[in-house]
C-alpha cells in the first residue's frame, strides 16, 4: 500500500532566529550595561539613593533605546524586502518568460538538469510564482521576514528583564559590599544566559557562556576602575 503523504512538521531553530537574537541581545545588554553602570557609580562612593536612581534611569532609557534601535534597523530590512517584493511583482507581470528562464537557471545552478529545472520552475510558477522567486531568487521566506514591532518589543522587554536583577539588588542589599554582590550575581546570570543562548542556537553551551562572561567581566571591571579613579562623592 502506498504511504500517504503527510504535511512537514519538522521544526528548526532558524524559524525563531529573529526574536531569539533580539531577546538574547536585549537581556545581555540590560544585565551588563545596568550592572556595569551601578558598579561604576558605587565605586565612586555614591549614596544608595543615587545608585538606585541611576539603575532605574538605566533600565528605562536602555529599554527604550533598544526598542528604538531594533525597530529602525528591522524596519529598514522590512522596507528592503517590500521593495524587492514589489519589483518581483512588476517583473512577473511585464516579463514572465524572462522570469521563468531566471528561475530555471537558478535550479540548474543548484544541480538540476536543464529539463528537470524547467519542469520544477514551471510547476512552482503555476503554484505560486511570486513565492518561488522571493524564496529561491531573493532568499525571503515567510517565517523569516522582518517584523519590526516584534523585534522592538522583544528587545525592550528582554533589556528590562536583564536590568531588573542588579536594580533589585541595589535596592535591597543591606551591606556595604554592593559592588561585589552585583558583580557576583551578574557573572552567574551571564553564564546562565550565555549557556541558554548556546543551547537554543544549537551551539556549545560552554562557548556561549564563556563569550558573554568575558565581555561582561571586562565591562564591569572598566566601569569599576573609572569609578575608583574619580572617587567623587555624589549627593
Amino acid at each position: 500500500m502506498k504511504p500517504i503523504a503527510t504535511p512537514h512538521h519538522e521544526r528548526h531553530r532558524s524559524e525563531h532566529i529573529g526574536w531569539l537574537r533580539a531577546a538574547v541581545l536585549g537581556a545581555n545588554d540590560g544585565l551588563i550595561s545596568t550592572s556595569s553602570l551601578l558598579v561604576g557609580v558605587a565605586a565612586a562612593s555614591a549614596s544608595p539613593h543615587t545608585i538606585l536612581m541611576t539603575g532605574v534611569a538605566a533600565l528605562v532609557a536602555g529599554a527604550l533605546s533598544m526598542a528604538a534601535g531594533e525597530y529602525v534597523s528591522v524596519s529598514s530590512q522590512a522596507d528592503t524586502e517590500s521593495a524587492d517584493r514589489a519589483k518581483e511583482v512588476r517583473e512577473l507581470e511585464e516579463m514572465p518568460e524572462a522570469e521563468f528562464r531566471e528561475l530555471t537557471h537558478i535550479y540548474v545552478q543548484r544541480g538540476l538538469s536543464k529539463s528537470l529545472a524547467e519542469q520544477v520552475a514551471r510547476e512552482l510558477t503555476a503554484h505560486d510564482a511570486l513565492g518561488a522567486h522571493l524564496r529561491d531568487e531573493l532568499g525571503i521566506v515567510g517565517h523569516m521576514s522582518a517584523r519590526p514591532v516584534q523585534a522592538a518589543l522583544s528587545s525592550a522587554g528582554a533589556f528590562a528583564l536583564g536590568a531588573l536583577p542588579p536594580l533589585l539588588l541595589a535596592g535591597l542589599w543591606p551591606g556595604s559590599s554592593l559592588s561585589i554582590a552585583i558583580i557576583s550575581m551578574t557573572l552567574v546570570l551571564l553564564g546562565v544566559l550565555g549557556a541558554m543562548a548556546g543551547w537554543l542556537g544549537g551551539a556549545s553551551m560552554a562557548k556561549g557562556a564563556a563569550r558573554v562572561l568575558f565581555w561582561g567581566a571586562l565591562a564591569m571591571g572598566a566601569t569599576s576602575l573609572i569609578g575608583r579613579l574619580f572617587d567623587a562623592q555624589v549627593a
Side-chain angles (χ1 to χ4, degrees):
M1 184 176 178
K2 193 173 182 179
I4 300 175
T6 57
H8 181 71
H9 293 299
E10 186 177 352
R11 301 180 67 85
H12 299 278
R13 290 181 172 89
S14 60
E15 296 178 19
H16 311 293
I17 193 63
W19 69 262
L20 178 60
R21 179 189 66 83
V24 171
L25 176 62
N28 283 339
D29 195 9
L31 182 57
I32 292 175
S33 61
T34 305
S35 294
S36 299
L37 187 58
L38 292 178
V39 167
V41 174
S45 302
S47 67
H49 177 75
T50 299
I51 295 173
L52 185 59
M53 289 303 98
T54 299
V56 172
L59 187 155
V60 174
L64 292 176
S65 176
M66 286 290 292
E70 196 71 18
Y71 184 82
V72 171
S73 174
V74 180
S75 291
S76 297
Q77 179 184 343
D79 290 342
T80 301
E81 291 179 359
S82 179
D84 285 340
R85 179 185 295 271
K87 181 174 181 290
E88 285 301 317
V89 169
R90 185 173 62 254
E91 290 178 347
L92 284 169
E93 292 175 350
E94 297 176 353
M95 50 182 104
E97 288 301 321
E99 289 297 291
F100 174 77
R101 290 193 297 271
E102 184 178 38
L103 202 57
T104 300
H105 180 65
I106 290 173
Y107 298 142
V108 169
Q109 287 186 316
R110 292 183 180 179
L112 298 184
S113 65
K114 179 69 178 299
S115 59
L116 181 56
E118 289 179 346
Q119 180 183 351
V120 171
R122 186 174 296 106
E123 293 191 9
L124 287 178
T125 298
H127 174 69
D128 182 8
L130 178 60
H133 280 272
L134 291 177
R135 180 183 62 250
D136 296 325
E137 181 184 346
L138 302 175
I140 300 176
V141 184
H143 65 262
M144 295 179 69
S145 297
R147 295 179 173 87
V149 174
Q150 183 189 58
L153 292 177
S154 296
S155 293
F159 185 98
L161 286 176
L164 197 57
L167 179 58
L168 290 175
L169 188 61
L172 300 175
W173 186 255
S176 58
S177 303
L178 179 59
S179 294
I180 296 176
I182 291 177
I183 290 173
S184 301
M185 180 203 64
T186 300
L187 290 177
V188 171
L189 292 178
L190 284 176
V192 172
L193 276 175
M196 184 182 299
W199 177 72
L200 289 173
S204 168
M205 294 175 64
K207 287 183 179 180
R211 283 194 293 260
V212 72
L213 280 172
F214 170 78
W215 290 108
L218 182 63
M220 288 186 290
T223 55
S224 178
L225 177 61
I226 292 171
R228 291 181 184 278
L229 287 174
F230 281 90
D231 196 17
Q233 181 67 39
V234 182

